[in-house]
């Protein structure tokens, strides 16, 4: 298939782009390089630099694309609270522009990177796709608005859409991995200490109602996540918007993650307790039953494998 990968110069977009190419697809990356890196674009993909608003139609029109995989987004929760307008504009506004360009260019399939942040503070775990969506920050709200738009466009315009609601993505795929200028994620921050960048890890909050008092999250290897995108692409059906959670279904606490990082790196990685980070739910764990039964997906890489691959990437 000929595929447009928005955000293909970013962490997840570059890994999945590389997997799509390896599966024999043709990939064009559209990225404004606001947070991505030109040298992260997968080998064999063409890079078009531009915003979705200004460039999507020009790229799609008459070029014979079969589908779009839409990764491009702003994704920092804290920034979204400080600058909600930026998140509504870049995430929802540019997605609407992309959908409009797709309609005009006759491209009717899309796989969208949604997020567990659409659920907010869950009442029960593991989280099901049918659970209430009550995002607690503009990042999650803007992603939920795109999910809602996809449902409406599927019903109204015959779009075939799949939203994958990612839980905590980690790991790397060879030369493709996480390289954020502002790094907020736990695993890269812990590994940075093992690399000698920083003296200790800050563990945000030790009084959560969890077995060891630190937050519990569901970590999924970026390569397993990529495999789900290949299945989702095949599952896109005209007039349908399907939504799947994408996690391992297992929870690990911040302390447990730090411990796995110590084992993998063979470094003591000092860790100190710090005040809780505002807005962090105690436990976020996916039910992945739906994607397992509907698409036949299952995770193959565990937390030590994610940490080992992220560590190998960081040391390159
Ligand atoms: N966290 C931490 N120290 C850090 C970064 C993150 O204790 O330096 C915690 C964070 O509070 C959360 C968990 O690790 O409980 C996962 O955070 P991350 O930012 O990786 O993902 P999120 O679940 O927020 O999407």
């Amino acid at each position: 298939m000929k595929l447009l990968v928005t955000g293909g110069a970013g962490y997840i977009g570059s890994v999945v782009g590389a997997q799509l190419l390896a599966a024999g697809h043709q990939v064009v990356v559209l990225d404004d390089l606001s947070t991505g890196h030109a040298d992260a674009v997968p080998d064999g993909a063409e890079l078009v630099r531009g915003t979705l608003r200004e460039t999507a139609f020009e790229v799609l029109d008459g070029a014979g694309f079969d589908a779009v995989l839409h990764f491009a987004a702003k994704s920092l929760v804290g920034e979204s609270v400080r600058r909600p307008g930026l998140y509504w504009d870049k995430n929802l506004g540019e997605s609407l522009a992309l959908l409009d360009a797709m309609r005009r260019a006759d491209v009717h399939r899309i796989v969208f990177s949604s997020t567990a942040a659409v659920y907010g503070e869950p009442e029960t775990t593991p989280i099901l796709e049918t659970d209430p969506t009550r995002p607690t920050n503009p990042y999650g709200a803007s992603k939920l608005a795109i999910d809602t738009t996809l449902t409406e466009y599927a019903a109204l315009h015959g779009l075939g859409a799949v939203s994958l609601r990612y839980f905590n993505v980690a790991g790397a795929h060879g030369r493709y991995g996480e390289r954020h200028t502002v790094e907020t994620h736990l695993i890269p921050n812990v590994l940075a200490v093992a690399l000698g960048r920083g003296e200790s890890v800050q563990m945000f909050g030790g009084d959560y109602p969890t077995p060891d008092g630190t937050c519990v999250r569901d970590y999924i290897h970026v390569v397993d996540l990529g495999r789900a995108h290949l299945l989702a692409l095949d599952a896109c059906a005209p007039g349908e918007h399907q939504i799947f959670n994408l996690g391992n279904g297992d929870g690990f606490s911040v302390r447990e993650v730090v411990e796995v990082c110590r084992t993998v790196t063979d470094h003591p990685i000092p860790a100190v307790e710090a005040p809780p980070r505002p807005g962090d739910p105690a436990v976020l764990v996916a039910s992945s039953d739906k994607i397992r039964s509907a698409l036949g997906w299952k995770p193959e890489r565990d937390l030590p494998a994610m940490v080992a691959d992220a560590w190998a990437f960081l040391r390159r």
Side-chain angles (χ1 to χ4, degrees):
M1 282 194 253
K2 182 169 181 182
L3 305 171
L4 182 68
V5 174
T6 76
Y11 168 40
I12 298 172
S14 65
V15 171
V16 182
Q19 289 173 285
L20 294 166
L21 285 154
H25 297 295
Q26 185 185 344
V27 171
V28 176
V29 166
L30 176 55
D31 199 302
D32 64 7
L33 299 184
S34 56
T35 51
H37 312 273
D39 64 357
V41 170
D43 301 324
E46 179 194 338
L47 168 65
V48 178
R49 182 177 182 173
T51 63
L52 301 179
R53 196 174 271 126
E54 283 161 6
T55 323
F57 179 66
E58 200 181 297
V59 173
L60 289 170
D61 190 34
F65 280 92
D66 297 292
V68 174
L69 292 101
H70 180 28
F71 300 94
K74 296 296 234 183
S75 62
L76 296 174
V77 169
E79 181 185 54
S80 81
V81 174
R82 289 190 306 277
R83 301 182 63 190
L86 176 70
Y87 277 67
W88 288 108
D89 179 52
K90 291 296 285 183
N91 290 357
L92 179 60
E94 297 233 9
S95 295
L96 290 173
L98 172 67
L99 290 172
D100 177 54
M102 286 173 64
R103 278 188 66 206
R104 286 160 59 208
D106 241 353
V107 180
H108 302 289
R109 277 203 264 183
I110 185 167
V111 178
F112 171 59
S113 302
S114 188
T115 168
V118 301
Y119 296 111
E121 182 86 48
E123 278 164 20
T124 53
T125 58
I127 298 172
L128 295 164
E129 290 82 353
T130 46
D131 283 351
T133 43
R134 288 186 291 238
T136 52
N137 53 63
Y139 166 64
S142 66
K143 287 280 185 170
L144 179 60
I146 302 164
D147 275 349
T148 307
T149 306
L150 292 174
T151 305
E152 290 171 352
Y153 279 38
L156 274 173
H157 304 308
L159 183 72
V162 175
S163 288
L164 299 173
R165 290 182 172 165
Y166 306 163
F167 281 63
N168 289 62
V169 187
H173 180 43
R175 77 173 192 87
Y176 308 106
E178 208 163 355
R179 251 201 299 159
H180 297 124
T181 316
V182 181
E183 189 50 81
T184 59
H185 292 133
L186 178 63
I187 292 175
N189 278 348
V190 177
L191 294 178
V193 174
L195 258 193
R197 299 183 197 147
E199 276 175 13
S200 59
V201 176
Q202 293 200 309
M203 296 189 297
F204 300 137
D207 276 329
Y208 286 98
T210 59
D212 69 17
T214 62
C215 287
V216 169
R217 294 288 181 274
D218 181 337
Y219 296 88
I220 171 171
H221 197 296
V222 66
V223 170
D224 284 336
L225 182 109
R227 289 174 30 250
H229 287 73
L230 287 158
L231 296 169
L233 200 52
D234 288 336
C236 281
E240 274 184 43
H241 177 214
Q242 305 171 72
I243 297 176
F244 299 106
N245 287 341
L246 201 47
N248 272 315
D250 290 327
F252 289 90
S253 72
V254 171
R255 265 182 227 286
E256 286 172 322
V257 170
V258 173
E259 205 44 60
V260 170
C261 292
R262 287 179 179 139
T263 307
V264 167
T265 60
D266 202 20
H267 185 287
I269 312 182
V272 295
E273 239 180 66
R277 200 168 61 176
D280 268 347
V283 180
L284 282 179
V285 176
S287 163
S288 55
D289 290 354
K290 186 177 173 193
I291 190 162
R292 286 175 192 248
S293 61
L295 303 189
W297 174 86
K298 64 175 191 319
E300 290 172 355
R301 291 158 184 83
D302 60 9
L303 184 60
M306 294 174 217
V307 173
D309 290 346
W311 180 233
F313 173 77
L314 260 187
R315 287 192 302 167
R316 285 172 80 98

